C-alpha cells in the first residue's frame, strides 16, 4: 500500500463537537465542496455509521463510492475515526484515511487527517501526493470552519 499523506489543524472547539461534525454525514454537502451527496447505508450497534455512500464531484475526479468506518473514540470525542473504500463505480481504487482527535474535554482540538488515494487511471505518484495534500488541506479548513461556526 502506498504511503499516506498527513496534516493537522487546531480547531477552537471541544473534541466532542468536532466529532459530531465528522459523524453528521447528511450535512457533508453543506460544508464540503466536493461531496454532493452522502447517505448512511448501515449503522453499528452504537448508532454510528458503519458504511456511507458518497457522490463526489472534485473536478477531474467524479465518482460514487462507499466507505466503511471504524469509530475508536471516547465519550469526550477524542480518538480516531478511520475509513476504507469498499466499493467505487468509476475512478477510485483506494480512499483510506482517518481523523485523529486530541485535546482537552473543553478544547481546543488537534485534528490529524491521514489519507491514501489511488485511482484507476494512470497518474504519477507525485501528482497523487499533490492531490492528497490538496484534499486534506481543504477538508481540514472546511472541518475547522464548520466546527468553529
Amino acid at each position: 500500500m502506498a504511503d499516506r499523506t498527513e496534516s493537522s489543524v487546531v480547531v477552537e472547539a471541544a473534541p466532542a463537537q468536532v466529532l459530531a461534525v465528522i459523524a453528521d454525514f447528511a450535512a457533508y454537502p453543506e460544508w464540503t465542496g466536493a461531496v454532493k451527496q452522502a447517505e448512511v447505508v448501515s449503522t453499528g450497534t452504537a448508532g454510528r455509521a458503519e458504511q456511507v455512500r458518497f457522490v463526489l464531484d472534485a473536478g477531474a475526479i467524479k465518482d460514487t463510492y462507499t466507505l466503511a468506518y471504524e469509530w475508536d473514540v471516547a465519550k469526550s470525542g477524542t480518538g480516531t475515526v478511520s475509513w476504507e473504500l469498499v466499493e467505487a463505480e468509476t475512478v477510485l481504487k483506494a480512499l483510506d484515511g482517518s481523523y485523529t482527535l486530541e485535546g482537552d474535554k473543553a478544547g481546543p482540538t488537534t485534528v490529524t487527517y491521514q489519507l491514501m488515494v489511488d485511482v484507476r487511471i494512470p497518474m504519477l505518484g507525485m501528482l497523487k501526493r499533490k492531490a492528497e495534500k490538496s484534499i486534506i488541506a481543504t477538508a481540514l479548513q472546511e472541518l475547522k470552519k464548520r466546527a468553529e461556526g
Side-chain angles (χ1 to χ4, degrees):
M1 182 176 280
D3 291 334
R4 292 175 179 248
T5 301
E6 179 180 308
S7 188
S8 298
V9 69
V10 175
V11 178
E12 296 299 328
Q17 187 175 338
V18 177
L19 183 63
V21 171
I22 293 168
D24 186 7
F25 294 104
Y28 275 37
E30 297 172 16
W31 62 273
T32 62
V35 175
K36 301 305 176 195
Q37 190 177 5
E39 173 191 2
V40 175
V41 177
S42 64
T43 55
T45 54
R48 297 193 193 272
E50 276 188 341
Q51 290 199 356
V52 182
R53 184 179 156 273
F54 294 92
V55 176
L56 177 76
D57 184 350
I61 298 178
K62 295 178 184 174
D63 208 344
T64 298
Y65 58 94
T66 302
L67 300 179
Y69 282 84
E70 288 191 28
W71 303 83
D72 185 14
V73 293
K75 287 184 181 184
S76 66
T78 58
T80 302
V81 178
S82 58
W83 60 87
E84 66 180 14
L85 183 71
V86 291
E87 72 175 327
E89 289 184 3
T90 54
V91 178
L92 294 170
K93 191 159 58 170
L95 183 65
D96 303 341
S98 66
Y99 285 113
T100 300
L101 285 65
E102 300 172 302
D104 294 331
K105 186 176 181 178
T109 305
T110 299
V111 181
T112 302
Y113 187 4
Q114 290 188 341
L115 186 66
M116 194 282 297
V117 178
D118 200 3
V119 291
R120 293 182 179 149
I121 54 176
M123 184 181 283
L124 294 173
M126 181 179 74
L127 292 177
K128 269 195 256 186
R129 294 299 150 257
K130 186 174 181 180
E132 287 173 354
K133 286 179 183 178
S134 176
I135 291 167
I136 288 174
T138 301
L140 287 174
Q141 288 169 4
E142 291 171 341
L143 176 63
K144 178 179 173 69
K145 183 177 176 184
R146 180 77 174 195
E148 291 178 351

